[in-house]
Amino acid sequence: EAGVAQSPRYKIIEKRQSVAFWCNPISGHATLYWYQQILGQGPKLLIQFQNNGVVDDSQLPKDRFSAERLKGVDSTLKIQPAKLEDSAVYLCASSLTGTSGNTIYFGEGSWLTVV
Amino acid sequence: AQSVTQLDSQVPVFEEAPVELRCNYSSSVSVYLFWYVQYPNQGLQLLLKYLSGSTLVKGINGFEAEFNKSQTSFHLRKPSVHISDTAEYFCAVTEKTSYDKVIFGPGTSLSVIP
């Protein structure tokens, strides 16, 4: 079974530039998550989708971050304009239903460095 | 809202020695609890989870954890560690609400010394 796919794996951009990350969840998984993991910290939930609807985006900096999940499958996370503090690993994850303690499966992450 | 505390940021331990990684959570409702492991340059993967029933949960690679509701803890243990267990370990909690919002702790870095 294919896992969660993410691209690009690595990206270096200058501050005030824009960047987009793509995620393809495990086939059939209704719930998709984007987490931000800053070096030395635990993953922080940015946004959670149930199919193509948003169920939680309370910690998403909406002035610069946006995310969409068209047709309830793939998702993109965009940052514009980027700040130095956005340097982190962006983890995409998916689970079967998003309820009842389903296991969350993670991709390998997209590493962002803002210089 | 739920939260997770992992008191030890770094735990060094000699190979074949036992280890315990501590996790405490805060929540006003019933929860599900998880331990995830992150090997260097890899994504997170599930070690074990507690949903209900027996408070002692066994996971992969010889790890186990015990849920203690009165102490709001979910400590991870292994009786004998191996070099390959060197990794970052994250405790996570989700409240039993209409959807699973999984909150992660800050992580514990386990270093196994040969």
Side-chain angles (χ1 to χ4, degrees):
Chain A
E1 178 182 88
V4 177
Q6 292 188 243
S7 68
R9 287 295 315 278
Y10 304 95
K11 191 76 175 179
I12 301 174
I13 62 172
E14 295 182 349
K15 59 183 179 183
R16 292 187 290 274
Q17 286 188 325
S18 63
V19 64
F21 301 113
W22 172 83
C23 173
N24 185 26
I26 293 173
S27 178
H29 280 195
T31 305
L32 185 146
Y33 311 79
W34 282 102
Y35 284 88
Q36 180 194 58
Q37 186 177 19
I38 292 173
L39 189 64
Q41 298 182 19
K44 170 187 153 185
L45 180 66
L46 291 176
I47 189 167
Q48 180 174 344
F49 292 95
Q50 185 73 14
N51 295 309
N52 60 351
V54 175
V55 295
D56 193 301
D57 63 357
S58 56
Q59 297 201 82
L60 186 73
K62 298 180 184 64
D63 58 334
R64 298 184 300 105
F65 286 64
S66 64
E68 60 181 8
R69 190 183 185 195
L70 299 176
K71 301 180 181 178
V73 182
D74 294 5
S75 177
T76 55
L77 175 71
K78 297 179 182 178
I79 308 173
Q80 181 179 15
K83 292 185 175 181
L84 296 177
E85 59 260 36
D86 298 332
S87 294
V89 181
Y90 291 87
L91 298 167
C92 181
S94 69
S95 67
L96 194 59
T97 65
T99 61
S100 304
N102 285 161
T103 297
I104 295 179
Y105 296 87
F106 285 84
E108 292 187 323
S110 292
W111 296 65
L112 174 66
T113 301
V114 182
V115 297
Chain B
Q2 72 270 45
S3 66
V4 180
T5 303
Q6 291 181 250
L7 294 173
D8 307 302
S9 60
Q10 296 184 355
V11 173
V13 62
F14 286 103
E15 192 174 16
E16 297 184 5
V19 70
E20 178 180 82
L21 306 183
R22 296 180 292 171
C23 171
N24 288 88
Y25 69 93
S26 173
S27 175
S28 58
V29 301
S30 297
V31 297
Y32 301 120
L33 293 157
F34 308 80
W35 275 99
Y36 281 81
V37 61
Q38 187 175 33
Y39 298 106
N41 298 319
Q42 294 186 26
L44 284 80
Q45 64 183 85
L46 182 71
L47 267 181
L48 48 80
K49 62 182 176 181
Y50 171 77
L51 302 183
S52 63
S54 173
T55 57
L56 183 62
V57 180
K58 294 189 183 297
I60 61 172
N61 301 338
F63 283 93
E64 64 181 31
E66 186 156 19
F67 170 56
N68 188 318
K69 188 175 182 179
S70 62
Q71 296 185 7
T72 60
S73 67
F74 191 53
H75 300 333
L76 181 71
R77 302 185 186 99
K78 186 170 183 178
S80 175
V81 295
H82 189 266
I83 294 290
S84 60
D85 293 323
T86 294
E88 194 80 19
Y89 292 79
F90 295 95
C91 182
V93 62
T94 183
E95 295 180 333
K96 296 180 184 179
T97 55
S98 58
Y99 67 92
D100 287 347
K101 178 178 178 178
V102 183
I103 301 300
F104 285 82
T108 296
S109 179
L110 175 64
S111 298
V112 180
I113 305 163

